[in-house]
Amino acid sequence: LHCISQSKVAALLLAGGQGTRLGVSYPKGMYDVGLPSHKTLFQIQAERILKLQQLAEQQHKIKCCIPWYIMTSGRTMQSTKDYFSQHNYFGLDKNNIVFFQQGMLPAMDYKGKIILENKGKLSMAPDGNGGLYRALGNQGIMDDMERRGIESIHVYCVDNILVKVADPSFVGFCVQKGADCGAKVVEKTNPTEAVGVVCKVDGHYQVVEYSEITLATAEMRSADGRLMFNAGNVANHYFSFYFLRDVVQKYEPKLQHHVAQKKIPYVDSEGQLIKPDKPNGIKMEKFVFDIFQFAKTFVVYEVLREDEFSPLKNADCQDGKDTPTTARHALMSLHHRWVLNAGGHFIDENGRRVPAIPRDGAAGSVTDDGNRNLKDGTDLPIKCEISPLVSYGGEV
């Protein structure tokens, strides 16, 4: 909070993605997962920044701000800016919100030919979240940070509903350790979970993507039975300003592109638009974590998944993963625990106290002490939402 009170910490949001897999065409940050308040991801994150500024000001008796840099893509830039403007920047000073755009690269077929999106128009795709570094240099963002005196930057992805924006514990840990770069991680749930792992390769820290790790390696376990490679990357990173400047100026050109096979709509020789049902070409991307290898001091900070990581990627479906429902339940479950940890409790419609954990016995039955049983572990969480303007991280 001391660094934040001196206005030396910035938040950098990676928000280039559309909600295509969610079944919407607008930016993912504008999505409403169905909370009682109907707040979108953008609003939740904006209010967390507002609250954190207040907490730093209260503790250190000095006015401060956390500049918010938002990287969009060509397809999301205008709608994102319009959305913030329509909602009056959610109470933040618009001069402290800086929008910029990641680059685009042409998509190619398997023979290396550039794909046409329609007659006379190339099929272009964002250059991955690692396009951040080129964009920071090209669009004067590093100059803006330097002008403001920024020393620490928290970089994160838009789709994690539980993200602690500019988390003072994480930023403070990295500053204390003198880190160039830091990664927040959660323990992997199983060997085949689709997250990359932070590990050391040939003496350098890096993220090995789940698609690049063999099953035998993924299944290796330590003596205590935990996965040996268990530090799941959640796209939640710290950079010192000086390291980030070096990355932009020196290291970015050394980064390799990753090849992603995708289903890419195209026009055929007759000029007809074809929407393929299987991958037909490649998009080239750089990843934000590709620069870990250049850090002299790299730190890893492990947090509890249920407290800090619930990504929104897919539309709702039966037993779906990373859906609006799982994100909504994760946030309400976290807020339920905040109330319990603060000494609070919940009562049902009859005024009876709801137990903090399910009891033995049939769902809905009443125990000897007058408490009603909750259903089994698949029961819906108590509808509890706490505004970030009331509490940033469970503090009373």
Side-chain angles (χ1 to χ4, degrees), residues 307-321:
D307 288 351
E308 296 204 31
F309 184 57
S310 181
L312 174 65
K313 298 192 181 294
N314 307 307
D316 270 323
C317 62
Q318 196 67 35
D319 302 323
K321 272 187 177 173

Side-chain angles (χ1 to χ4, degrees), residues 5 54-64:
S5 73
Q54 286 172 10
L55 290 171
E57 285 171 9
Q58 283 164 12
Q59 189 163 325
H60 293 278
K61 308 290 184 280
I62 183 171
K63 192 113 179 87
C64 68

Side-chain angles (χ1 to χ4, degrees), residues 157-302:
C157 270
V158 73
D159 62 5
N160 177 13
I161 197 168
L162 300 184
V163 68
K164 295 175 84 169
V165 185
D167 177 9
S169 301
F170 177 46
V171 171
F173 173 77
C174 294
V175 169
Q176 275 190 332
K177 296 287 183 186
D180 299 321
C181 180
K184 236 184 216 192
V185 299
V186 299
E187 186 168 4
K188 277 181 70 169
T189 54
N190 61 70
T192 56
E193 186 187 2
V195 292
V197 291
V198 179
C199 53
K200 220 172 190 179
V201 179
D202 298 330
H204 295 287
Y205 283 100
Q206 66 181 70
V207 172
V208 177
E209 272 295 59
Y210 60 93
S211 54
E212 297 169 350
I213 198 166
T214 65
L215 185 60
T217 303
E219 288 179 337
M220 287 168 68
R221 293 188 182 268
S222 305
D224 62 2
R226 293 170 70 188
L227 291 173
M228 187 170 285
F229 298 102
N230 68 1
N233 174 53
V234 293
N236 194 320
H237 310 307
Y238 165 90
F239 297 108
S240 74
F241 172 79
Y242 304 102
F243 177 63
L244 194 56
R245 188 175 59 187
D246 279 351
V247 166
V248 170
Q249 293 176 353
K250 293 185 204 168
Y251 303 128
E252 194 281 332
K254 298 180 183 177
L255 298 181
Q256 303 287 313
H257 282 98
H258 300 259
V259 170
Q261 299 190 35
K262 303 274 187 177
K263 293 183 273 194
I264 305 165
Y266 64 98
V267 290
D268 63 13
S269 53
E270 311 291 305
Q272 298 296 312
L273 182 66
I274 310 292
K275 292 190 174 177
D277 53 8
K278 59 175 194 267
N280 63 315
I282 58 171
K283 293 181 178 179
M284 293 188 299
E285 301 174 321
K286 291 181 178 179
F287 294 147
V288 72
F289 51 71
D290 287 340
I291 54 84
F292 287 179
Q293 59 185 309
F294 303 117
K296 290 185 179 67
T297 308
F298 181 83
V299 298
V300 178
Y301 188 81
E302 186 176 328

